[in-house]
Amino acid sequence: MIRPSGDGAEPGAEIMAQVRGMKVAASRSPGRGEPVYRGRRIAVVVPAYNEEDLIGETLSGIPDYVARVYAVDDGSTDRTGEIIEDYAQRDQRIVPIHHNPNRGVGAAITTGYLQAVEDGMDIAAVMAGDNQMDPAYLPDLLDPIIDGRADYTKGN
């Protein structure tokens, strides 16, 4: 488990030091019944700060082929964290992560990525907690990576 403390002078330095020490399998075989997309274990990182009105819709819209959803409550002062916990009780793919205090969207994304690496996910994507990203476009981002045409994709 990666444990960001947020008390270092250089943001992310402690987390990166932990990642460098990790031993991660290149790709695990999907578990029986585990969701896959084109034979790959897909993770979605959902950074969220004060998104109580939209986080539920975001989490419920994530496609069934996604194996893990790292929902990172970044020190919200509203009910975002509670809502994430509630959805995690109903959907075993959702992994709640809580920052306290708020560390910023970059740190929330980094924490989710690092947990995806630790869990052996093949590909990780980011979908903001404010439901601004249509999950129907996720294959357009995944396919070039799976096909070996890109190492990284980004939508706008």
Side-chain angles (χ1 to χ4, degrees), residues 7 21 33 54 56 58 118 122 125 127 130-131 135 138 140-141 148-149 153:
D7 56 359
L54 298 170
T58 301
E118 186 171 310
D122 296 310
M127 295 178 68
D130 61 2
N131 205 34
L138 193 53
D140 293 336
L141 299 171
R149 294 181 284 125
T153 58

Side-chain angles (χ1 to χ4, degrees), residues 18-133:
Q18 291 177 54
V19 169
R20 286 184 199 102
M22 291 177 130
K23 293 179 181 162
V24 179
S27 179
R28 292 184 193 165
S29 298
R32 188 171 180 180
E34 182 178 45
V36 293
Y37 177 81
R38 294 184 56 197
R40 305 306 195 288
R41 297 172 74 211
I42 306 301
V44 170
V45 176
V46 180
Y49 176 70
N50 289 344
E51 295 294 351
E52 70 181 357
D53 292 337
L54 298 170
I55 190 65
E57 191 173 338
T58 301
L59 295 174
S60 65
I62 294 180
D64 291 340
Y65 58 78
V66 171
R68 291 281 159 74
V69 180
Y70 300 100
V72 184
D73 170 26
D74 191 27
S76 297
T77 58
D78 64 2
R79 294 185 54 249
T80 299
E82 295 170 44
I83 295 167
I84 289 170
E85 291 289 340
D86 180 56
Y87 272 79
Q89 294 297 314
R90 294 184 268 151
D91 185 341
Q92 66 183 11
R93 302 174 307 153
I94 297 174
V95 178
I97 300 172
H98 301 279
H99 284 179
N100 189 14
N102 174 273
R103 297 185 53 214
V105 68
I109 292 169
T110 299
T111 298
Y113 276 163
L114 294 174
Q115 192 61 56
V117 167
E118 186 171 310
D119 291 347
M121 296 290 110
D122 296 310
I123 300 172
V126 175
M127 295 178 68
D130 61 2
N131 205 34
Q132 67 176 317
M133 298 170 185

